[in-house]
Amino acid sequence: MKIAGLIAHTKGPSFKPIALLVVVAAIAVAAALSTAARADGEAAPIFGIKIPPGYRDWKLISVAHEEGNLNDLRAILGNDVAIKAYREGKLPFPDGAIIARLAWSYVSSEENNKVFGRQQSFVAGPPTNLQFMVKDSRKYASTGGWGFAQFNHGKPADEALLKTCFPCHEPIKARDFLFTHYSP
Amino acid sequence: MKIAGLIAHTKGPSFKPIALLVVVAAIAVAAALSTAARADGEAAPIFGIKIPPGYRDWKLISVAHEEGNLNDLRAILGNDVAIKAYREGKLPFPDGAIIARLAWSYVSSEENNKVFGRQQSFVAGPPTNLQFMVKDSRKYASTGGWGFAQFNHGKPADEALLKTCFPCHEPIKARDFLFTHYSP
C-alpha cells in the first residue's frame, strides 16, 4: 500500500484536501484487506464454510429464546445482502446472503431482578455456539441453495451434526428454509 | 450540493479518479444530510430526544427477555460511539454514545415448535416500545449524563413515565447506569 507515493502525485496546495481523501480511501482499503485476511479459521465440514469476518458487526434480523436442551437467548444477524432481501421480502434469497445465528446461555440476572424487585430478567450469559447459513444456489443446490455451519468456541462442529441442519430447515421451504422472520 | 462545480474545479485527464472520489464524497455527505433531515418525529418530553435516524441498522450489544408485565424479547443496539466504548470497556461512556433498546412481545412459535416436536421456541412478535439512552454529560448532568426516551409506535411516552427512568438506572452507577453487558 504505497500511500506516500499516492500523496506525491497530488502536488500543489489546492490539492491537499484531495490528497487527504486519497489517503483516507487507501487506509480504508488496507483495513478491509486486513479484516479479510483474518478469515483464516478452520472450515466446517461438508459445506466448507469458515467464520465470516466481521459477522459480529452485521445488522439485526431478530431475536429468540429456545427452551429445552438449547436453553439459550439468540440473535440472528445478516450481512447486507441478507438484510436487503429480508427487508424487501424477496424470495429466494440471492447468492451471497449470509445469516449468522449467535447464541448465549439463558441466565437469570440477579442484578436486574434486584432493581425490578422481582424475578423477571433473563440475559445473555456465556456464548454457546455460532451458526451460519450461506446462500450459494449452485454450490449448495442439494440443500436448498444453503450451506450450513456451526462453530463451538471457534471450532467447527462435526459432519454428523451438520447433516441434521437441512432436514430440520426443509419444512420451511416456502420461506427459503429460514425460520426467522424479520423484526421491525 | 454543487457537485457540478466540484467536478469543474478538477480539470485534466489525470484527475478523473480524484474527481470521482470528490463526487462520491459529495454524494455521501448529501445522503448523510438527507438521513439527518428525516429525524423530524416528535421529541420525547424532559430530555427532548427524537428517534435517531438509522438506529435499526446499529450494531448489537446484547439480547434479553423480561417476564412479568413487560413480557418481551429485546435487543440492545448501540451507535458506533457506544459500541466502541462497550468493546473497549471504557467508563464513563463518551458524549455522543446512544443505546437503543428495541422490544417485541414474547410469542410462542407454533411453526418452530412443530419442527422441534416440542414447545420450546419463543420468538419476537409485534414491537412493543422503543427506548433510547443518549449520553450528553452537560445537557443531562442531573441524570448521570444520560437522557432517556421511550416511543410507543413512534409516539413519545409522557413525562410521568420518563421520570421513572433514571431512578431505576441509578443503582447501576458503577457501570455508567447501563444494565446491559456486551455479549461477545
Side-chain angles (χ1 to χ4, degrees), chain A residues 18 56-57 60-61 64-67 87 104 106 111 115 118 120-122 168 175 179 181-184, chain B residues 18 56-57 60-61 64-68 87 104 106 111-112 115 120-122 175 181-184:
Chain A
I18 292 164
R56 187 59 186 75
D57 288 343
L60 180 75
I61 297 165
H65 164 49
E66 295 295 336
E67 287 184 349
R87 289 179 180 172
W104 302 272
Y106 186 69
E111 184 177 52
V115 175
R118 52 178 289 180
Q120 74 161 56
S121 189
F122 297 88
C168 188
R175 285 210 317 280
F179 284 103
H181 295 263
Y182 181 85
S183 292
Chain B
I18 291 164
R56 187 58 187 75
D57 289 343
L60 181 76
I61 297 165
H65 164 49
E66 294 294 335
E67 287 185 350
R87 290 179 179 171
W104 302 273
Y106 186 68
E111 184 176 53
N112 295 2
V115 174
Q120 75 162 55
S121 190
F122 296 87
R175 285 209 317 280
H181 295 263
Y182 180 85
S183 292

Side-chain angles (χ1 to χ4, degrees), chain A residues 110-178:
Chain A
E110 292 317 312
E111 184 177 52
N112 294 2
N113 292 337
K114 209 185 285 176
V115 175
F116 280 119
R118 52 178 289 180
Q119 197 79 3
Q120 74 161 56
S121 189
F122 297 88
V123 298
T128 60
N129 65 55
L130 192 52
Q131 293 183 337
F132 296 97
M133 286 175 68
V134 176
K135 192 67 183 268
D136 186 328
S137 52
R138 285 184 195 190
K139 194 172 175 183
Y140 306 127
S142 66
T143 49
W146 290 100
F148 298 85
Q150 178 174 312
F151 299 87
N152 308 317
H153 305 288
K155 297 291 288 179
D158 63 17
E159 201 172 311
L161 185 136
L162 290 194
K163 278 185 176 161
T164 68
C165 297
F166 184 62
C168 188
H169 282 260
E170 214 167 3
I172 316 291
K173 191 181 175 181
R175 285 210 317 280
D176 201 18
F177 309 99
L178 295 165

